[in-house]
């Protein structure tokens, strides 16, 4: 069964600093991978997705993620964090033949001014 | 474009009361989902509906029932509410269907439910 691990429960960065949120998955074949963001009081919003092809994918709000098959990882990055990026971030994986995603437990991003 | 609309946004119930959470999407999506979100637990799937007329249990279905009323609407019912069901409930939809597995989900803004 597929599983997703987000090893960091909380991440604190200063505004303007770079960011990397980690996501590791467990699945035999190449899965479909997603990052979502959840602002307080809101539902989840898709940031980016990876299905195949170029392993570096660009998303909204200046985010990008890189798929590394050898490490079973799909880490989310942003070169310069803005205060408005403070939110909860979820990594999700869907295995081929299913439309049921498995979500990680989330990483809470705190941005200091 | 409303996307996924959930009602109500907030609700307080007493133990043993029943209620139905409503969800509607206007994107002509085939699949719809109900999740609950609890601190430190991420999102847990309660029920899903792969297409109109079908429903299936997810990870935590006990204490809940669902109805896929039509392609647009997917409701979640608590027959006899318990304090353990205090949570934030999210409805989601996606285009996912046979042969198209990789579509992302679109989420509503949630229903915050407290059971006393």
């Amino acid at each position: 069964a597929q599983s997703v691990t987000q090893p960091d429960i909380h991440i604190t960065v200063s505004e303007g600093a770079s960011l990397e949120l980690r996501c590791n998955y467990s699945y035999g074949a190449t899965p479909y991978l997603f990052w979502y963001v959840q602002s307080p009081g809101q539902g989840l919003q898709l940031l980016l997705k990876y299905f195949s092809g170029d392993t570096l994918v660009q998303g909204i709000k200046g985010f990008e993620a890189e798929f590394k098959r050898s490490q079973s990882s799909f880490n989310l990055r942003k070169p310069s964090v803005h205060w408005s990026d403070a939110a909860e971030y979820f990594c999700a994986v869907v295995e081929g033949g299913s439309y049921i995603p498995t979500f990680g437990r989330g990483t809470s991003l705190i941005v200091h001014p | 474009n409303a996307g996924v609309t959930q009602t109500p946004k907030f609700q307080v119930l007493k133990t043993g009361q029943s209620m139905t959470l409503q969800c509607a999407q206007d994107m002509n999506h085939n699949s719809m989902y109900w999740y609950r979100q609890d601190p430190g637990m991420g999102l847990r799937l309660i029920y899903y509906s792969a297409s109109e007329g079908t429903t299936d249990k997810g990870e935590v279905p006990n204490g809940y029932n669902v109805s896929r009323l039509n392609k647009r609407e997917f409701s979640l019912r608590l027959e006899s509410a318990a304090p353990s069901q205090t949570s934030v409930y999210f409805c989601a939809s996606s285009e996912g269907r046979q042969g198209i597995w990789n579509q992302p989900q679109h989420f509503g803004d949630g229903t915050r439910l407290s059971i006393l």
Side-chain angles (χ1 to χ4, degrees), chain B residues 36-111:
Chain B
R36 60 178 290 173
Q37 184 178 33
D38 303 289
M41 301 295 290
L43 288 168
R44 292 185 291 170
L45 183 65
I46 305 172
Y47 272 92
Y48 67 98
S49 171
S51 61
E52 186 178 356
T54 69
T55 60
D56 286 284
K57 295 178 181 179
E59 180 186 355
V60 289
N62 291 344
Y64 305 95
N65 285 299
V66 291
S67 296
R68 183 74 182 266
L69 305 170
N70 47 55
K71 192 171 186 179
R72 290 187 64 250
E73 298 172 290
F74 188 40
S75 63
L76 178 72
R77 183 162 178 83
L78 287 71
E79 291 291 352
S80 179
S84 61
Q85 294 178 304
T86 293
S87 188
V88 181
Y89 291 85
F90 287 99
C91 178
S93 70
S94 79
E95 196 176 342
R97 61 184 185 271
Q98 184 76 25
I100 302 180
W101 311 111
N102 55 11
Q103 298 306 302
Q105 295 184 316
H106 298 254
F107 286 81
D109 284 338
T111 295

Side-chain angles (χ1 to χ4, degrees), chain B residues 8-35:
Chain B
K9 295 188 184 303
F10 303 93
Q11 185 70 49
V12 179
L13 294 178
K14 294 181 180 179
T15 298
Q17 287 185 317
S18 63
M19 81 160 295
T20 299
L21 308 185
Q22 305 288 350
C23 175
Q25 53 92 8
D26 62 2
M27 295 170 283
N28 201 35
H29 284 169
N30 291 296
S31 303
M32 297 186 74
Y33 311 78
W34 276 106
Y35 293 91

Side-chain angles (χ1 to χ4, degrees), chain A residues 9 11 24-25 32 37-38 41-42 53-54 56 58 67 75 82 85 88 90 96 98-99 103 109-111 113:
Chain A
I9 297 174
I11 290 273
N24 294 95
Y25 65 90
Y32 303 123
V37 60
Q38 183 182 29
Q42 305 275 318
D54 192 348
L56 184 64
Q58 303 296 320
F67 170 61
N75 294 348
H82 187 262
D85 293 323
E88 190 90 15
F90 292 92
S98 170
Y99 33 72
F103 286 86
L109 175 64
I110 301 164
V111 181

Side-chain angles (χ1 to χ4, degrees), chain A:
Chain A
Q2 61 197 22
S3 66
V4 179
T5 301
Q6 292 180 247
D8 303 304
I9 297 174
H10 302 283
I11 290 273
T12 301
V13 298
S14 297
E15 191 170 15
S18 63
L19 171 70
E20 183 171 34
L21 302 182
R22 296 183 291 165
C23 173
N24 294 95
Y25 65 90
S26 171
Y27 177 58
T30 300
Y32 303 123
L33 296 159
F34 306 83
W35 274 101
Y36 292 86
V37 60
Q38 183 182 29
S39 298
Q42 305 275 318
L44 279 67
Q45 178 188 17
L46 180 71
L47 280 176
L48 47 77
K49 59 188 179 185
Y50 173 79
F51 298 153
S52 64
D54 192 348
T55 57
L56 184 64
V57 293
Q58 303 296 320
I60 62 171
K61 306 185 180 187
F63 285 92
E64 65 178 26
E66 186 172 13
F67 170 61
K68 293 186 177 180
R69 183 191 305 275
S70 61
Q71 300 177 19
S72 296
S73 69
F74 187 56
N75 294 348
L76 183 70
R77 302 195 294 246
K78 187 169 185 178
S80 178
V81 171
H82 187 262
W83 64 267
S84 60
D85 293 323
E88 190 90 15
Y89 291 81
F90 292 92
C91 182
V93 60
V94 179
E95 62 183 72
S98 170
Y99 33 72
I100 308 300
T102 298
F103 286 86
R105 294 194 172 190
T107 297
S108 178
L109 175 64
I110 301 164
V111 181
H112 282 314

